[in-house]
Amino acid sequence: SLDFHYNAPKGFDKSQVLGPLATLVVPKEERFASALEICAGGKLYNIVVRNEHAANELLERGSLQRRTTFIPLSKITPFTIARAKIEAAKRKYEGFVEVASNMLNFDREIAPAVEYAFGGTLICALRETASKIAFELGHKAITFEGDVYDPSGTLTGGNSYKGQTGHVFQHSLNFSALATLKRNLHQVEEKISSCSTQSDSLNYLNQEL
């Protein structure tokens, strides 16, 4: 699910495709992994692209093998919690409290995508704190164990449910490294192509001389 395949249309700039969101973010601490995975849900598999034009090109001519959702960095409108509210919650409630997006390491370029997937949720160490944040402040809250407190009134949890989470980030580290290597390879290939063009020009000038 994390390995994104497409056929690049003629003239398509592959550097516009950054890859699945899960491969672009890393939890700052292992204990956050389950909560963060539950927080983002299916958005972890959304494909981050630099602009909507790249997304349109791939949807129309990329020969996508499965239904794909794109997050164009130039268009996405993230939902964020005001910093003042976060600081107030930290002062008012017991235990660890932090907005989910602040618990990840990522390149600042993809910040809009990260805020879209993680910015509207607070992660808490204590169930009591998560409950109060959801039903007093009106913000979704998730405990380290993966219990979800939604301001709509629903609570989600259970051992079997938690056992199914926390694995995506373990696998995504390998894909993140692979994506970086692919981007580096693309840059090198572009430089080689540029050098080849300059070499042809030099050969022509030598012949003229």
Side-chain angles (χ1 to χ4, degrees), residues 105-152:
N105 290 318
F106 56 89
D107 190 306
R108 297 313 303 174
E109 179 187 13
I110 69 163
V114 174
E115 292 296 343
Y116 164 70
F118 299 94
T121 302
L122 291 167
I123 307 297
C124 309
L126 304 175
R127 290 186 177 91
E128 295 80 5
T129 297
S131 178
K132 290 177 180 177
I133 286 174
F135 306 130
E136 292 180 10
L137 291 186
H139 291 296
K140 185 177 178 181
I142 303 176
T143 65
F144 289 169
E145 291 76 18
D147 297 317
V148 182
Y149 293 78
D150 194 287
S152 65

Side-chain angles (χ1 to χ4, degrees), residues 163-197:
Q164 299 171 15
T165 63
H167 307 299
V168 171
F169 285 120
Q170 295 175 17
H171 296 296
S172 70
L173 291 172
N174 290 331
F175 283 98
S176 179
L178 177 61
T180 299
L181 291 173
K182 285 182 176 179
R183 286 196 295 272
N184 292 342
L185 175 61
H186 179 67
Q187 292 172 358
V188 171
E189 288 174 339
E190 286 185 332
K191 290 180 180 178
I192 290 174
S193 177
S194 174
C195 289
S196 177
T197 301

Side-chain angles (χ1 to χ4, degrees), residues 81-93:
I81 303 174
R83 191 69 220 175
K85 283 191 174 182
I86 298 171
E87 295 302 325
K90 289 180 178 181
R91 291 192 299 269
K92 184 176 181 180
Y93 302 116

Side-chain angles (χ1 to χ4, degrees), residues 51-61 70:
N51 57 62
E52 71 278 14
H53 304 298
N56 288 333
E57 281 282 291
L58 293 180
L59 286 173
E60 294 176 7
R61 302 189 290 132
F70 292 94

